[in-house]
Amino acid sequence: MDRFSKASTADADDGPDVHASTRALLHDAAQRAASYLESIGQRPVAPSAAAVAALLRLDAPLPAQGMDAQQTLAMLDQLVSPATMAMAGPRFFGFVIGGSLPAALAANWLAAAWDQNCGYYSITPGVARLEQSALRRLVALFELPEHTAAGFVTGATVANFTALAAARHAVLARVGWNVEADGLFGAPQITVIAGEEAHPTLLKSLGMLGLGRSRIVRVPVDGQGRMRPDELPPIKGPTILCLQAGNVNTGAFDPFGPLIERAHRDGAWVHVDGAFGLWAKATASLRHLAAGLEAADSWATDAHKWLNVPYDSGLAFVREAQALQAAMAITAEYLPQSGAERNPSDFTPELSRRARGVEVWTALQTLGRVGIAEMLERNCRQARRFAAGLSAKGYAILNDVALNQVLVSFGDDARTRRVVARLQADGTCWCGITVWQGHTAMRISICNWSTGDADVELSLEAMLRAAASV
Ligand SMILES: *Cc1c(COP(=O)(O)O)cnc(C)c1O
């Protein structure tokens, strides 16, 4: 370090001590963040109309002179913190949204300070190795084949995109077509098959890959949204079958065993969208729901959902490493050539990206197998408690509550919508609306590490209060 002491003091000559002001700024940010998190369980979950209206101040044009950093941070905190939805808190049950484990949040800050461009092993060996370790642990946790390759991406949408790009490569390579070099113009047709209840982002990924959102063969599903094996069409030629682990409404899983067996017999590639359902593999009591999915060829999941790490964090897994690399790797003269080590950018659409694996590794390390299982099982138990409490008062539960999702109807469409509006305005908790196979329902999704049983009771009371008042 001594060698560089001159350079460090030169900085200081330019003005006030940059180290001291950086430290003060980071300390200030930490204090503000801690205060935010400490109060999040005490405030209404949705932001107030006044807080949202105050955001108009952000419309001011760019000032000629920059504002002092600490003042700017204070402005952010005063203006934006009250206008946030309390997604990090224990009683937000919309979408399928985790919070951030404190350890994952802290690791995110440290990694941001490292500011590593995580494209190449030889340039950033620390984080590249850490990500590799996290991926190996996940492959084992999900019981995927040992040599499965994987990449860290922004979320399940891009994880689906990435894995399906590998699928597109492989099914066309088998018929002698190089899609990376020659594109899809003039290529042999690919048949894509997906269930009627596939997530809309899966269809978007297929669209981005040139496989079309509308030309997908859709397979009928049962009352839980599971693909019906008896409805699987005949498979011929290059084919990708897209299955699902965890329906976004019901939490249901496709019957992987018979579907994958049929598809593989007929030469199709099988992809599984397991944005949150893949995590069922990580615990003995839920594993049976996901049984058989390990026989597929690729998988997508999110870490920012049930692992409770900060956004944006998704994962794409592909059994045949070569297919993923063929779809994602680039070479250019100025870029370091691949050596023996794994280059992260050979497995992702991005070249430059933050080392999002740091938080994943940290979450895994601090929870351990037991902690992960406990978190998942707790959320599922809480889902069952919601369902029991609501059905005891006569409200209809529309799904089998086998995972962390609950669909409840408070009567007809209009009445259910009024109850949900009342509940959202009440502020105790936040749930969204969905239409499940023609029936309007309130959706409760529980995947936050910080949701305690007392939060569930408080929220259940608020739901029953809202329902009684309509
Ligand atoms: C959430 C979800 C997605 C999309 O994930 P993002 O992380 O929002 O991109 C895809 N499929 C399923 C089943 C999901 O639940």
Side-chain angles (χ1 to χ4, degrees):
M1 279 310 201
D2 277 350
R3 279 199 293 147
F4 304 115
S5 58
K6 232 171 132 188
S8 314
T9 47
D11 287 346
D13 289 345
D14 292 340
D17 185 349
V18 65
H19 297 311
S21 65
T22 301
R23 185 172 287 270
L25 188 63
L26 295 179
H27 188 76
D28 186 27
Q31 294 300 322
R32 290 180 184 281
S35 300
Y36 176 83
L37 292 175
E38 278 159 20
S39 63
I40 206 164
Q42 270 73 56
R43 52 159 273 198
V45 176
S48 69
V52 174
L55 293 172
L56 284 178
R57 281 180 56 198
L58 295 172
D59 292 351
L62 177 65
Q65 303 297 328
M67 189 189 261
D68 164 78
Q70 221 151 347
Q71 235 180 308
T72 305
L73 204 64
M75 183 178 164
L76 278 177
D77 195 17
Q78 281 149 19
L79 207 54
V80 184
S81 290
T84 55
M85 177 71 81
M87 288 178 168
R91 295 190 301 279
F92 180 86
F93 305 121
F95 312 108
V96 187
I97 300 245
S100 285
L101 290 158
L105 175 61
N108 170 279
W109 290 357
L110 186 57
W114 293 341
D115 200 17
Q116 300 291 283
N117 181 331
C118 191
Y120 289 96
Y121 181 89
S122 62
I123 311 297
T124 57
V127 289
R129 178 71 70 180
L130 191 67
E131 288 200 336
Q132 207 174 326
S133 160
L135 290 175
R136 265 202 310 269
R137 288 174 173 196
L138 286 169
V139 164
L141 195 66
F142 295 144
E143 303 181 310
L144 302 182
E146 194 187 335
H147 296 291
T148 295
F152 283 99
V153 294
T154 51
T157 304
V158 179
N160 281 325
F161 171 85
T162 304
L164 288 165
R168 185 181 67 163
H169 168 87
V171 298
L172 286 179
R174 284 177 207 155
V175 290
W177 187 268
N178 182 341
V179 71
E180 282 71 35
D182 301 322
L184 285 173
F185 300 106
Q189 294 262 330
I190 299 176
T191 304
V192 180
I193 306 172
E196 287 288 2
E197 280 292 341
H199 197 271
T201 61
L202 181 98
L203 310 184
K204 174 178 167 177
S205 306
L206 290 164
M208 291 193 292
L209 286 162
L211 298 173
R213 296 190 195 193
S214 305
R215 62 185 287 288
I216 302 160
V217 180
R218 305 300 290 272
V219 183
V221 296
D222 67 11
Q224 297 300 312
R226 293 176 292 230
M227 189 184 283
R228 290 177 46 185
D230 55 318
E231 295 277 0
L232 190 67
I235 292 170
K236 222 173 122 262
T239 300
I240 301 169
L241 172 64
C242 301
L243 302 180
Q244 183 164 259
N247 176 280
V248 78
N249 282 311
T250 64
F253 295 70
D254 284 337
F256 299 111
L259 287 165
I260 297 177
E261 196 184 312
R262 256 280 307 284
H264 277 171
R265 191 194 66 202
D266 297 338
W269 176 289
V270 182
H271 171 70
V272 178
D273 176 3
F276 61 101
L278 199 55
W279 292 92
K281 275 278 192 187
T283 145
S285 73
L286 301 172
R287 190 172 294 145
H288 65 281
L289 298 169
L293 68 72
E294 64 283 355
D297 301 286
S298 60
W299 306 264
T301 197
D302 265 320
H304 61 218
K305 286 179 178 169
W306 228 347
L307 186 61
N308 280 260
V309 303
Y311 301 101
D312 36 33
S313 192
L315 295 139
F317 297 94
V318 177
R319 175 190 292 270
E320 265 179 64
Q322 187 273 334
L324 182 57
Q325 280 177 282
M328 294 296 150
I330 50 163
T331 53
E333 289 307 320
Y334 76 98
L335 299 174
Q337 294 308 302
S338 293
E341 301 294 349
R342 173 188 183 277
N343 271 331
S345 60
D346 286 349
F347 300 88
T348 56
E350 300 89 354
L351 175 57
S352 299
R353 67 170 173 84
R354 72 185 187 91
R356 53 175 65 86
V358 174
E359 300 120 37
V360 172
W361 185 90
T362 304
L364 296 173
Q365 181 75 7
T366 54
L367 291 170
R369 267 185 185 273
V370 172
I372 293 167
E374 278 174 1
M375 180 169 72
L376 302 171
E377 285 166 13
R378 183 169 60 245
N379 286 163
C380 294
R381 177 168 50 72
Q382 292 168 335
R384 292 194 297 275
R385 169 65 190 135
F386 271 122
L390 289 160
S391 71
K393 296 289 179 191
Y395 302 114
I397 305 301
L398 303 187
N399 65 319
D400 297 341
V401 182
L403 203 66
N404 62 331
Q405 307 288 117
V406 183
L407 298 178
V408 54
S409 161
F410 294 102
D412 62 13
D413 173 271
R415 183 156 202 280
T416 298
R417 286 182 191 278
R418 280 206 303 280
V419 172
V420 174
R422 194 65 67 91
L423 181 69
Q424 290 178 354
D426 169 79
T428 306
C429 65
W430 199 99
C431 296
I433 278 270
T434 191
V435 178
W436 175 249
Q437 299 188 340
H439 302 280
T440 302
M442 184 175 85
R443 224 175 133 269
I444 312 171
S445 176
I446 306 133
C447 45
N448 193 304
W449 68 276
S450 70
T451 301
D453 292 344
D455 292 302
V456 173
E457 297 308 320
L458 208 61
S459 302
L460 187 55
E461 282 166 26
M463 290 170 191
L464 295 174
R465 212 165 46 233
S469 74
V470 167

